[in-house]
């Protein structure tokens, strides 16, 4: 009888554990849904002209700062989510032959330090060609790593190249968990923001070189 009672207690604990896990997943879905709704409202309120004005504002804010690359990457990544009504963003730069996520924003952005493919998918093609890419539906685009996109809940995305000394050294990506979310105007905005990242990398490199030279002279 005692064994039977223990089995019942174990069963009840298992049901509570499953229920708890299901509750967390449901909560995550609700939070993502609320975030998406909020981003849709922001997108309706900001037209293309407003987005370009917001981009100019970001540029002015960057030029008024010290050349701290990490701060610029974080600023651009977060502002892109707001301007475009996206659900996520990421900036990945090459390090020792590997693409590493240096900044991430929104609910569907990858974790900082995550590795992105430099050979496959839309990111790889952007690196090879140096051209921005627009994907309206990850499930219908053979260029996309579908499994990786689905793991992050991504349905559509834009990828823009990041340069240094005219060489593609990274990518700037903006995501949505809805298909057919972005258009060519959005891709233009992402390309402009990618240009800011390129400029920030150049300024940061020059600043570090000057600091090193000054230190050596001292």
């Amino acid at each position: 009888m005692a064994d039977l009672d223990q089995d019942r207690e174990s069963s009840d604990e298992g049901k509570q554990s499953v229920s708890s896990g299901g509750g967390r997943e449901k909560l995550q879905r609700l939070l993502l849904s609320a975030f998406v709704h909020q981003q849709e409202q922001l997108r309706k309120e900001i037209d293309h002209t407003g987005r370009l004005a917001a981009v100019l504002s970001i540029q002015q804010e960057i030029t008024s700062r010290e050349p701290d690359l990490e701060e610029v990457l974080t600023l651009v990544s977060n502002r892109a989510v707001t301007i475009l009504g996206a659900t996520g963003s990421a900036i990945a730069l090459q390090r020792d032959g590997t693409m590493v996520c240096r900044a991430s924003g929104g609910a569907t952005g990858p974790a900082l330090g995550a590795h992105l493919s430099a050979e496959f998918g839309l990111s790889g093609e952007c690196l090879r060609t140096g051209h921005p890419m627009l994907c309206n539906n990850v499930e219908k685009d053979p260029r996309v790593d579908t499994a990786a996109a689905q793991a992050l809940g991504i349905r559509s995305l834009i990828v823009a190249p990041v340069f240094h000394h005219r060489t593609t050294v990274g990518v700037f990506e903006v995501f949505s968990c809805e298909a057919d979310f972005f258009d060519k105007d959005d891709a233009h905005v992402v390309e402009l923001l990618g240009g800011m990242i390129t400029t920030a990398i150049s300024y940061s490199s020059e600043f570090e070189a000057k600091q090193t030279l000054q230190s050596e002279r001292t």
Side-chain angles (χ1 to χ4, degrees):
M1 192 68 177
D3 291 340
L4 184 57
D5 290 338
Q6 289 178 354
D7 290 341
R8 287 174 179 170
E9 290 176 2
S10 177
S11 176
D12 290 341
E13 290 175 358
K15 289 178 181 178
Q16 290 175 1
S17 177
V18 171
S19 175
S20 176
R24 283 195 297 270
E25 292 178 1
K26 185 177 181 180
L27 179 60
Q28 288 174 349
R29 288 196 297 269
L30 288 173
L31 290 173
L32 179 58
S33 177
F35 181 78
V36 170
H37 178 71
Q38 180 185 25
Q39 295 305 95
E40 287 176 348
Q41 293 300 114
L42 285 171
R43 186 176 177 82
K44 290 177 182 178
E45 293 172 4
I46 306 177
D47 59 11
H48 183 59
T49 303
R51 293 187 190 114
L52 293 179
V55 169
L56 180 60
S57 175
I58 295 172
Q59 187 174 25
Q60 292 172 342
E61 187 171 349
I62 290 174
T63 55
S64 67
R65 293 168 173 250
E66 291 292 331
D68 187 306
L69 181 58
E70 299 303 324
E71 287 187 6
V72 172
L73 297 182
T74 301
L75 173 67
V76 173
S77 184
N78 288 331
R79 293 291 179 82
V81 173
T82 302
I83 293 172
L84 296 171
T87 57
S89 64
I91 300 173
L93 302 178
Q94 288 188 331
R95 179 191 296 165
D96 299 327
T98 303
M99 290 279 289
V100 180
C101 180
R102 299 277 295 274
S104 177
T108 57
L112 293 177
H115 289 189
L116 280 70
S117 174
E119 299 180 4
F120 306 104
L122 217 60
S123 301
E125 184 167 348
C126 182
L127 279 172
R128 288 192 299 273
T129 64
H131 297 301
M133 304 284 171
L134 170 62
C135 170
N136 291 316
N137 192 330
V138 299
E139 296 176 359
K140 297 179 180 180
D141 195 327
R143 301 173 300 175
V144 178
D145 184 343
T146 307
Q150 290 178 340
L152 291 171
I154 296 169
R155 294 291 304 282
S156 57
L157 68 151
I158 302 171
V159 186
V162 175
F163 300 97
H164 185 50
H165 294 156
R166 298 184 180 182
T167 300
T168 311
V169 296
V171 293
F172 176 38
E173 304 184 350
V174 179
F175 317 115
S176 175
C177 63
E178 295 184 16
D180 300 309
F181 187 80
F182 301 113
D183 56 27
K184 291 182 179 179
D185 288 339
D186 296 325
H188 179 225
V189 171
V190 175
E191 190 174 7
L192 290 175
L193 293 173
M196 291 184 191
I197 299 169
T198 294
T199 303
I201 291 174
S202 296
Y203 282 163
S204 177
S205 178
E206 291 174 5
F207 182 77
E208 289 179 2
K210 290 179 181 178
Q211 290 291 94
T212 300
L213 181 60
Q214 184 176 358
S215 177
E216 289 175 351
R217 288 176 176 175
T218 302

